[in-house]
């Protein structure tokens, strides 16, 4: 089917508008527009995931580079990322993929899992941009990876609501939550979040 028409999870209709409930921004999205993350769009009253399966970056990395300590040390993990983010940190080191449009290629979850197996990776790391704004793709890929005995690693800003996180967690083996500061003012002023 048409990849761009992939329906998102975690939203509700509010008249003509849509209220996304994936992350704490809970964006109210009018017809034709996206939320702050630029990946979830109101198309004819349905919240669609525009970036589903669009890969901007892919590499086989040492697990230590995630960085994870004492999680299968000495192994490699297939790292993938898409486009977009739900924060806007003034010091972002990946702003080219977080906040600009650039070339991507579509890879189905099955292709990612096959690639991880082919490269003798311990699994898949969802990283580079904010993976959780591509929630549906991470969820679908992580479930398939788990069926094949692969590990799933999230490198995330952690800015997600409880319900979607709890639905995903059974398929996640490790997380690196990139805490930007232990201060809400810093998040508001520097990261456009909380």
């Amino acid at each position: 089917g048409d990849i761009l028409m992939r329906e998102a999870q975690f939203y509700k209709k509010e008249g003509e508008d849509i209220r996304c409930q994936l992350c704490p921004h809970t964006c109210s999205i009018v017809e034709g527009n996206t939320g702050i993350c630029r990946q979830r769009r109101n198309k004819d009253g349905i919240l669609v995931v525009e970036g589903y399966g669009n890969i901007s970056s892919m590499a086989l990395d040492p697990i230590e580079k995630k960085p994870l300590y004492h999680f299968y040390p000495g192994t490699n993990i297939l790292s993938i990322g898409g486009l977009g983010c739900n924060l806007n940190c003034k010091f972002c080191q990946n702003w080219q993929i977080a906040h600009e449009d650039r070339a991507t290629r579509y890879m189905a979850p099955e292709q990612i899992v096959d690639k991880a197996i082919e490269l003798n990776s311990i699994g898949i790391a969802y990283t580079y941009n904010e993976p959780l704004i591509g929630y549906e793709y991470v969820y679908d890929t992580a479930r398939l990876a788990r069926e094949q005995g692969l590990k799933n690693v999230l490198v995330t800003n952690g800015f997600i609501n409880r319900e979607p996180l709890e639905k995903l967690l059974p398929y996640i083996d490790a997380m690196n939550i990139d805490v930007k500061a232990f201060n809400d003012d810093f998040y508001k002023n520097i990261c456009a979040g909380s």
Side-chain angles (χ1 to χ4, degrees):
D2 179 4
I3 294 310
L4 295 181
M5 285 303 294
R6 177 73 189 225
E7 186 175 357
Q9 300 180 48
F10 305 106
Y11 73 94
K12 66 178 190 219
K13 294 181 184 197
E14 293 183 342
E16 298 292 299
D17 301 345
I18 282 175
R19 175 76 61 185
C20 181
Q21 296 174 306
L22 180 63
C23 92
H25 286 307
T26 57
C27 295
S28 178
I29 308 172
V30 301
E31 170 63 38
N33 283 14
T34 66
I36 287 170
C37 68
R38 301 188 309 132
Q39 294 299 304
R40 308 171 85 75
R41 185 179 301 275
N42 180 345
K43 188 164 171 58
D44 305 321
I46 293 171
L47 191 63
V48 297
V49 185
E50 294 218 313
Y52 186 93
N54 289 349
I55 302 297
S56 70
S57 315
M58 176 184 284
L60 189 65
D61 288 330
I63 193 74
E64 289 79 5
K65 198 175 163 187
K66 291 308 96 197
L68 287 172
Y69 189 57
H70 289 324
F71 182 80
Y72 298 90
T75 61
N76 288 326
I77 192 158
L78 182 63
S79 298
I80 61 169
L83 293 173
C85 188
N86 55 358
L87 293 181
N88 195 357
C89 301
K90 289 181 167 66
F91 52 83
C92 179
Q93 55 183 331
N94 285 328
W95 62 268
Q96 293 92 342
I97 60 173
H99 300 291
E100 289 191 339
D101 290 322
R102 62 186 284 189
T104 58
R105 70 172 192 261
Y106 174 74
M107 291 187 74
E110 294 79 6
Q111 290 174 286
I112 297 292
V113 169
D114 289 349
K115 188 79 160 162
I117 293 167
E118 174 195 322
L119 294 172
N120 201 25
S121 164
I122 64 157
I124 300 158
Y126 309 89
T127 180
Y128 300 130
N129 71 315
E130 174 47 53
L132 292 175
I133 64 168
Y135 180 91
E136 293 73 12
Y137 186 70
V138 172
Y139 183 84
D140 293 348
T141 308
R143 282 183 58 184
L144 276 179
R146 172 63 59 82
E147 286 170 13
Q148 297 299 318
L150 297 171
K151 303 297 176 199
N152 290 299
V153 172
L154 268 180
V155 181
T156 174
N157 62 28
F159 202 58
I160 185 173
N161 285 330
R162 178 181 290 268
E163 187 189 353
L165 180 63
E166 286 180 347
K167 183 177 175 186
L168 178 62
L169 280 180
Y171 303 102
I172 302 301
D173 299 284
M175 283 172 87
N176 184 338
I177 300 180
D178 187 10
V179 177
K180 314 297 182 184
F182 290 95
N183 173 316
D184 200 46
D185 284 342
F186 184 96
Y187 267 90
K188 282 191 179 79
N189 298 329
I190 308 294
C191 301
S194 63

